[in-house]
Amino acid sequence: MEWWYHIWDWAHKRPYRDHVRVLSLGGGGARGLAHVGVIKVLEEMGWKPDLITGTSAGSVIGALYAQFGTYEALAARLEEILGSEWFNRKVMRQMDAGTKNGVDYFMKELGAQVKKAIPFLHREKKDRPLSIAPEKLMPEIMYQVFGEHVFSDLSIPLVVFATDLYTGEVVQFHSGSVAFACRASSSIPGIFPPVRYEDKLLVDGYVTRCVPVPDPIPGKTMEVIAVEVLPSMVDRRDPANPFEVVHRVDAITQHLLNREFIERADIALHPPVRDYHWATFDQWRDIVEIAEEYTRRTLGDRLFDADVP
């Protein structure tokens, strides 16, 4: 059966109404915290989703919103997570993230780690690492954030998108462990290890659905607000190493792929956070504030059917 049928079965013990509001949250690492500012303004305007779809960082913010159901509870939980000792110890220190004077230190670290990893190429295949980050880091992060919650615990229906590395197909999660689904959707290729699921090997959902605007729901009309937080495609600095070349090619590919999906949305929001590094979680308040101001300024009175119950 289609994913939307399963959502009907458990969400509110009833089918969707004929008009379905969908909030589609795209991937972008720390830039995905912009989704929080967008959600705040949408709530103020009386618009709440019947369905949330999320990719990568969008899956994490979407899942937290779906779990708690309100902006206030979402913001409080994020404050708790990002201000915690374990997050700063296990995440920020290991990522060594950020930019300074136009130099991307993460890319430098990546190059250094790859140099260290070259001897691994001579190991047996089964012993070769598939990521820069420690294998246990992402599972620990997601468990700390979501614990043992499953999709049926959520107050708003949620679909999480990942990518099958074997076939290139989109994989949609709508049941089971929330932590596992968000882990698969957020496994940045090369940075975090792929996630094994059934006969699939899953990586970040942004590879195939950087903004996860869903396919139409049969017999329903959809009102889709999509939020895109990709990095800037324009970068006139000369790449400093081969890895930055690959990074730039990937950014261009994602922007071109994104156009197809963003055009399906009724309203597409592009908070101006493109210049933030994907791992600048320490600047989350600035990112949220920028997105909030942008959304309030951009939407104005554009929302439709905000008074529909």
Side-chain angles (χ1 to χ4, degrees):
M1 295 181 181
E2 301 291 342
W3 61 264
W4 46 264
Y5 180 87
H6 292 281
I7 292 173
W8 289 7
D9 192 37
W10 58 257
H12 294 106
K13 307 304 180 184
R14 58 176 172 79
Y16 282 133
R17 61 189 184 188
D18 290 340
H19 185 67
V20 183
R21 292 173 176 169
V22 182
L23 180 60
S24 295
L25 305 178
R31 292 185 300 274
L33 293 162
H35 299 318
V36 179
V38 172
I39 289 168
K40 179 180 182 180
V41 176
L42 292 179
E43 279 201 5
E44 290 174 355
M45 301 180 78
W47 193 96
K48 292 196 71 171
D50 303 299
L51 169 66
I52 300 170
T53 60
T55 285
S56 198
S59 74
V60 176
I61 299 300
L64 286 171
Y65 186 34
Q67 178 181 348
F68 293 103
T70 68
Y71 160 76
E72 291 294 339
L74 164 64
R77 178 61 176 141
L78 276 176
E79 180 92 32
E80 179 184 4
I81 293 169
L82 297 176
S84 66
E85 187 276 335
W86 75 263
F87 185 85
N88 284 280
R89 173 173 50 86
K90 297 295 293 186
V91 180
M92 296 306 298
R93 292 179 188 174
Q94 294 202 45
M95 284 185 176
D96 189 22
T99 58
K100 183 178 181 181
N101 298 325
V103 178
D104 190 332
Y105 283 97
F106 180 79
M107 293 306 296
K108 281 191 172 182
E109 178 65 14
L110 177 60
Q113 291 291 338
V114 170
K115 286 181 181 178
K116 294 178 183 179
I118 287 176
F120 289 129
L121 298 178
H122 301 290
R123 292 184 179 181
E124 292 293 328
K125 184 176 180 179
K126 62 182 178 64
D127 295 326
R128 296 175 189 170
L130 296 178
S131 64
I132 300 299
E135 187 173 350
K136 295 182 179 180
L137 178 60
M138 183 63 84
E140 182 175 348
I141 293 172
M142 292 304 175
Y143 185 81
Q144 288 282 353
V145 173
F146 296 111
E148 297 182 359
H149 283 289
V150 294
F151 279 74
S152 57
D153 296 332
L154 304 178
S155 61
I156 303 173
L158 171 72
V159 178
V160 170
F161 287 72
T163 304
D164 184 4
L165 193 60
Y166 289 143
T167 65
E169 294 179 348
V170 175
V171 177
Q172 300 175 4
F173 287 94
H174 45 73
S175 62
S177 166
V178 175
F180 182 87
C182 291
R183 171 189 162 199
S185 183
S186 304
S187 290
I188 304 172
I191 307 303
F192 299 108
V195 177
R196 295 196 178 278
Y197 171 69
E198 297 179 345
D199 61 344
K200 302 173 178 62
L201 191 63
L202 303 182
V203 295
D204 202 306
Y206 89 87
V207 174
T208 48
R209 288 290 180 95
C210 37
V211 177
V213 176
D215 297 328
I217 299 176
K220 308 291 179 180
T221 60
M222 291 199 305
E223 173 187 326
V224 180
I225 295 180
V227 188
E228 176 264 315
V229 289
L230 289 173
S232 176
M233 187 171 70
V234 178
D235 186 347
R236 301 193 181 283
R237 297 173 300 166
D238 289 339
N241 54 57
F243 309 106
E244 287 194 1
V245 174
V246 174
H247 178 69
R248 293 289 301 124
V249 169
D250 180 67
I252 293 169
T253 301
Q254 291 308 312
H255 275 274
L256 296 177
L257 176 64
N258 186 51
R259 290 178 184 174
E260 173 188 350
F261 301 113
I262 206 73
E263 288 174 357
R264 300 180 187 177
D266 297 283
I267 294 178
L269 299 176
H270 308 270
V273 294
R274 294 180 180 274
D275 292 333
Y276 282 87
H277 189 277
W278 68 266
T280 48
F281 292 97
D282 57 329
Q283 301 180 50
W284 71 275
R285 289 186 178 84
D286 294 338
I287 294 172
V288 171
E289 183 178 348
I290 289 170
E292 178 185 343
E293 293 175 354
Y294 161 85
T295 305
R296 189 171 283 112
R297 182 176 66 252
T298 301
L299 287 182
D301 58 357
R302 286 183 62 197
L303 284 186
F304 30 76
D305 295 332
D307 56 345
V308 176

